[in-house]
Amino acid sequence: EKFGAGRGTRLAAAQQGLQKVLVSLGPDVAIDIVAFSDHSRSWHGSLRRLDDAAKKSAAEFVADLHPGGDCNLLAGLQAAYRDPEVDTVYLLTDAQITAGEIVDPAQFAAEVSGWNRLRRVTIHTISLGTRSDLLRQLAVDSGGVPVER
């Protein structure tokens, strides 16, 4: 969908933001990138340190993202939580859950809260183009920061 004052799509805004972040991160940082629509797919499948080759590969993964079907936010977060080393998630989405096992925002928040009783993963949320009570709640409940763009 168009984003802002017709300057581009939400996906393009997300890609530009991610590319800027990748450039700014040093080799001591370990990341993975999880894209989600009907399903999720990871850039690496686990956290990876960002040496020059990894940074190039991650940038290519981001550049190759294309809009796809529905928004299965649960699949995206489940993929992030699979790696036991993950302690922080930056969740960038328009927050319009349209697919997956849980689409009700209250049930979704309760599910993630249950995961965090054991994991204590901080979730920072970036809501693109829409205000989202769900994203705000996920961030606040986990000690993260909600941002709306």
Side-chain angles (χ1 to χ4, degrees):
E1 289 186 32
K2 291 293 181 191
F3 178 68
R7 296 184 304 259
T9 65
R10 292 176 186 177
L11 178 59
Q15 288 170 306
Q16 291 167 1
L18 284 168
Q19 295 292 7
K20 287 179 185 176
V21 168
L22 288 171
V23 168
S24 72
L25 296 175
D28 58 328
V29 175
I31 71 162
D32 193 10
I33 302 167
V34 177
F36 55 92
S37 57
D38 296 332
H39 59 283
S40 68
R41 68 182 176 104
S42 295
W43 160 61
H44 192 259
S46 62
L47 295 180
R48 180 174 177 192
R49 296 244 178 248
L50 280 179
D51 59 23
D52 289 340
K55 203 176 269 198
K56 181 179 182 216
S57 173
E60 289 169 354
F61 179 86
V62 169
D64 193 42
L65 295 176
H66 301 295
D70 292 323
C71 176
N72 187 341
L73 187 56
L74 188 66
L77 276 179
Q78 285 172 327
Y81 272 73
R82 273 189 209 108
D83 186 335
E85 298 299 314
V86 168
D87 62 6
T88 306
V89 169
Y90 289 85
L91 179 59
L92 181 69
T93 181
D94 65 5
Q96 303 299 317
I97 305 171
T98 58
E101 296 171 38
I102 302 173
V103 296
D104 176 74
Q107 288 179 313
F108 192 98
E111 179 75 11
V112 175
S113 179
W115 299 347
N116 264 347
R117 278 189 219 113
L118 300 173
R119 288 287 302 274
R120 299 191 190 277
V121 172
T122 301
I123 304 171
H124 300 288
T125 60
I126 302 105
S127 178
L128 288 175
T130 184
R131 186 177 186 286
S132 171
D133 292 334
L134 172 61
L135 292 185
R136 180 171 295 287
Q137 182 176 1
L138 291 175
V140 170
D141 288 353
S142 69
V145 176
V147 174
E148 294 174 359
R149 298 272 183 224

